Amino acid sequence: MFDVLPRGLLIVLLALAGPSFALDREALLDEANLLLLPRERALPSIELIDQNGQPFNTDALRGRWHILFFGFTACPDICPTTLSDMRRLFGRLPAETREQLQLVLVSADPARDTPQQLKTYLDYYRAGFGGLTGEMQQLQRLSKALGLPFVPARETQGNYSVSHSGNLALVAPDGTLRGHIRAPLNLEGLQQALPQVIESER
């Protein structure tokens, strides 16, 4: 019977069936487009500014799980879609998993993305998302460390765009990079995989 079911539905059914159906970890991660690194990667100490205008150091990522991605508030497609999808995902996660996760939008467009602009933009989603901006050099250092590339705009006047990755980075409570959530986002897969990844670290 199982061989005629779509893969995503099969994974959900097996999860609901309980521990007697041990899910294959790799299949679960693959379904979620979640690539875990074979070894954790330390992040450098980088000084930025959060959406409240307060100094922020990457050392502050310690203590809980973070999902970070690069974007900008004037983005016409990738960023609003990602934030909307992540809001839906967080709403579906078990409370104990949701409490351990923080989503952070890191600006790839600091010329326009002031802390106040980030705050106004993120408040629209009413999901408690965080935002970071700062000097371009520091933002590029973090981009490289997280493996989330973006191309700074050559012109910062008028209606311009910024090319950036649609992937997200997963940072563990010890402050190390643990993996990437690859675009396009698979919300059903992530709903199953993220609690298992987080629980495995406890």
mmCIF file of all heavy atoms in Angstrom, residues 74-93:
data_model
loop_
_atom_site.group_PDB
_atom_site.id
_atom_site.type_symbol
_atom_site.label_atom_id
_atom_site.label_comp_id
_atom_site.label_asym_id
_atom_site.label_seq_id
_atom_site.Cartn_x
_atom_site.Cartn_y
_atom_site.Cartn_z
ATOM 1 N N ALA A 74 12.960 46.064 0.741
ATOM 2 C CA ALA A 74 12.352 46.443 -0.533
ATOM 3 C C ALA A 74 12.277 45.273 -1.505
ATOM 4 O O ALA A 74 11.892 45.452 -2.668
ATOM 5 C CB ALA A 74 13.132 47.594 -1.170
ATOM 6 N N CYS A 75 12.629 44.091 -1.053
ATOM 7 C CA CYS A 75 12.611 42.894 -1.908
ATOM 8 C C CYS A 75 11.186 42.624 -2.387
ATOM 9 O O CYS A 75 10.251 42.583 -1.572
ATOM 10 C CB CYS A 75 13.132 41.697 -1.114
ATOM 11 S SG CYS A 75 13.178 40.150 -2.044
ATOM 12 N N PRO A 76 10.995 42.425 -3.686
ATOM 13 C CA PRO A 76 9.631 42.261 -4.210
ATOM 14 C C PRO A 76 9.081 40.851 -4.111
ATOM 15 O O PRO A 76 7.862 40.665 -4.232
ATOM 16 C CB PRO A 76 9.793 42.664 -5.681
ATOM 17 C CG PRO A 76 11.189 42.259 -6.020
ATOM 18 C CD PRO A 76 12.001 42.512 -4.762
ATOM 19 N N ASP A 77 9.929 39.842 -3.890
ATOM 20 C CA ASP A 77 9.401 38.481 -3.974
ATOM 21 C C ASP A 77 9.972 37.511 -2.944
ATOM 22 O O ASP A 77 9.234 37.003 -2.102
ATOM 23 C CB ASP A 77 9.626 37.914 -5.390
ATOM 24 C CG ASP A 77 10.997 38.284 -5.966
ATOM 25 O OD1 ASP A 77 11.981 38.294 -5.208
ATOM 26 O OD2 ASP A 77 11.066 38.558 -7.176
ATOM 27 N N ILE A 78 11.284 37.246 -2.973
ATOM 28 C CA ILE A 78 11.861 36.194 -2.136
ATOM 29 C C ILE A 78 11.632 36.455 -0.646
ATOM 30 O O ILE A 78 11.191 35.565 0.095
ATOM 31 C CB ILE A 78 13.372 36.041 -2.407
ATOM 32 C CG1 ILE A 78 13.608 35.558 -3.837
ATOM 33 C CG2 ILE A 78 13.997 35.061 -1.409
ATOM 34 C CD1 ILE A 78 15.069 35.478 -4.221
ATOM 35 N N CYS A 79 11.909 37.660 -0.197
ATOM 36 C CA CYS A 79 11.839 37.959 1.243
ATOM 37 C C CYS A 79 10.407 37.915 1.795
ATOM 38 O O CYS A 79 10.168 37.259 2.815
ATOM 39 C CB CYS A 79 12.493 39.301 1.548
ATOM 40 S SG CYS A 79 14.263 39.309 1.171
ATOM 41 N N PRO A 80 9.444 38.596 1.177
ATOM 42 C CA PRO A 80 8.091 38.492 1.722
ATOM 43 C C PRO A 80 7.537 37.078 1.679
ATOM 44 O O PRO A 80 6.817 36.661 2.585
ATOM 45 C CB PRO A 80 7.273 39.459 0.864
ATOM 46 C CG PRO A 80 8.099 39.735 -0.335
ATOM 47 C CD PRO A 80 9.523 39.575 0.083
ATOM 48 N N THR A 81 7.897 36.328 0.635
ATOM 49 C CA THR A 81 7.447 34.936 0.557
ATOM 50 C C THR A 81 8.073 34.110 1.668
ATOM 51 O O THR A 81 7.395 33.317 2.338
ATOM 52 C CB THR A 81 7.799 34.329 -0.812
ATOM 53 O OG1 THR A 81 7.136 35.062 -1.840
ATOM 54 C CG2 THR A 81 7.368 32.866 -0.887
ATOM 55 N N THR A 82 9.383 34.286 1.881
ATOM 56 C CA THR A 82 10.080 33.542 2.926
ATOM 57 C C THR A 82 9.510 33.861 4.301
ATOM 58 O O THR A 82 9.242 32.957 5.110
ATOM 59 C CB THR A 82 11.587 33.861 2.901
ATOM 60 O OG1 THR A 82 12.132 33.457 1.640
ATOM 61 C CG2 THR A 82 12.318 33.131 4.023
ATOM 62 N N LEU A 83 9.296 35.136 4.592
ATOM 63 C CA LEU A 83 8.770 35.526 5.904
ATOM 64 C C LEU A 83 7.351 35.006 6.112
ATOM 65 O O LEU A 83 6.999 34.550 7.202
ATOM 66 C CB LEU A 83 8.819 37.046 6.048
ATOM 67 C CG LEU A 83 10.221 37.635 6.217
ATOM 68 C CD1 LEU A 83 10.200 39.145 6.014
ATOM 69 C CD2 LEU A 83 10.789 37.302 7.592
ATOM 70 N N SER A 84 6.539 35.060 5.079
ATOM 71 C CA SER A 84 5.171 34.539 5.187
ATOM 72 C C SER A 84 5.179 33.034 5.411
ATOM 73 O O SER A 84 4.430 32.507 6.245
ATOM 74 C CB SER A 84 4.372 34.887 3.927
ATOM 75 O OG SER A 84 4.199 36.281 3.792
ATOM 76 N N ASP A 85 6.036 32.329 4.668
ATOM 77 C CA ASP A 85 6.132 30.876 4.828
ATOM 78 C C ASP A 85 6.630 30.509 6.221
ATOM 79 O O ASP A 85 6.109 29.570 6.852
ATOM 80 C CB ASP A 85 7.071 30.283 3.775
ATOM 81 C CG ASP A 85 6.432 30.181 2.401
ATOM 82 O OD1 ASP A 85 5.191 30.333 2.299
ATOM 83 O OD2 ASP A 85 7.168 29.961 1.423
ATOM 84 N N MET A 86 7.635 31.232 6.707
ATOM 85 C CA MET A 86 8.178 30.915 8.019
ATOM 86 C C MET A 86 7.180 31.240 9.129
ATOM 87 O O MET A 86 7.126 30.545 10.144
ATOM 88 C CB MET A 86 9.495 31.651 8.242
ATOM 89 C CG MET A 86 10.626 31.205 7.311
ATOM 90 S SD MET A 86 10.958 29.416 7.376
ATOM 91 C CE MET A 86 11.680 29.265 9.006
ATOM 92 N N ARG A 87 6.395 32.277 8.945
ATOM 93 C CA ARG A 87 5.339 32.563 9.929
ATOM 94 C C ARG A 87 4.351 31.398 9.994
ATOM 95 O O ARG A 87 3.943 30.975 11.083
ATOM 96 C CB ARG A 87 4.610 33.855 9.561
ATOM 97 C CG ARG A 87 3.451 34.192 10.522
ATOM 98 C CD ARG A 87 2.795 35.503 10.162
ATOM 99 N NE ARG A 87 2.218 35.470 8.834
ATOM 100 C CZ ARG A 87 1.609 36.511 8.256
ATOM 101 N NH1 ARG A 87 1.528 37.665 8.905
ATOM 102 N NH2 ARG A 87 1.108 36.406 7.055
ATOM 103 N N ARG A 88 3.971 30.873 8.828
ATOM 104 C CA ARG A 88 3.064 29.722 8.804
ATOM 105 C C ARG A 88 3.718 28.502 9.450
ATOM 106 O O ARG A 88 3.080 27.773 10.218
ATOM 107 C CB ARG A 88 2.648 29.395 7.367
ATOM 108 C CG ARG A 88 1.613 30.345 6.801
ATOM 109 C CD ARG A 88 0.959 29.766 5.562
ATOM 110 N NE ARG A 88 1.901 29.665 4.454
ATOM 111 C CZ ARG A 88 2.139 30.660 3.603
ATOM 112 N NH1 ARG A 88 1.526 31.823 3.753
ATOM 113 N NH2 ARG A 88 2.995 30.492 2.615
ATOM 114 N N LEU A 89 4.997 28.274 9.131
ATOM 115 C CA LEU A 89 5.699 27.132 9.707
ATOM 116 C C LEU A 89 5.770 27.233 11.224
ATOM 117 O O LEU A 89 5.465 26.261 11.936
ATOM 118 C CB LEU A 89 7.113 27.047 9.127
ATOM 119 C CG LEU A 89 8.029 26.002 9.763
ATOM 120 C CD1 LEU A 89 7.490 24.598 9.541
ATOM 121 C CD2 LEU A 89 9.456 26.128 9.239
ATOM 122 N N PHE A 90 6.166 28.392 11.737
ATOM 123 C CA PHE A 90 6.289 28.555 13.188
ATOM 124 C C PHE A 90 4.943 28.327 13.871
ATOM 125 O O PHE A 90 4.885 27.825 14.991
ATOM 126 C CB PHE A 90 6.832 29.944 13.519
ATOM 127 C CG PHE A 90 8.334 30.052 13.423
ATOM 128 C CD1 PHE A 90 9.048 29.265 12.524
ATOM 129 C CD2 PHE A 90 9.039 30.932 14.216
ATOM 130 C CE1 PHE A 90 10.423 29.361 12.423
ATOM 131 C CE2 PHE A 90 10.426 31.033 14.134
ATOM 132 C CZ PHE A 90 11.118 30.241 13.228
ATOM 133 N N GLY A 91 3.875 28.705 13.201
ATOM 134 C CA GLY A 91 2.543 28.499 13.770
ATOM 135 C C GLY A 91 2.146 27.039 13.841
ATOM 136 O O GLY A 91 1.257 26.667 14.617
ATOM 137 N N ARG A 92 2.795 26.202 13.053
ATOM 138 C CA ARG A 92 2.479 24.770 13.026
ATOM 139 C C ARG A 92 3.385 23.943 13.926
ATOM 140 O O ARG A 92 3.080 22.788 14.213
ATOM 141 C CB ARG A 92 2.602 24.228 11.594
ATOM 142 C CG ARG A 92 1.669 24.859 10.593
ATOM 143 C CD ARG A 92 1.979 24.320 9.197
ATOM 144 N NE ARG A 92 1.207 24.993 8.158
ATOM 145 C CZ ARG A 92 1.359 24.749 6.858
ATOM 146 N NH1 ARG A 92 2.247 23.854 6.459
ATOM 147 N NH2 ARG A 92 0.630 25.392 5.976
ATOM 148 N N LEU A 93 4.503 24.499 14.351
ATOM 149 C CA LEU A 93 5.466 23.739 15.152
ATOM 150 C C LEU A 93 4.953 23.533 16.577
ATOM 151 O O LEU A 93 4.201 24.360 17.099
ATOM 152 C CB LEU A 93 6.803 24.473 15.202
ATOM 153 C CG LEU A 93 7.607 24.548 13.914
ATOM 154 C CD1 LEU A 93 8.809 25.471 14.094
ATOM 155 C CD2 LEU A 93 8.062 23.158 13.459
#
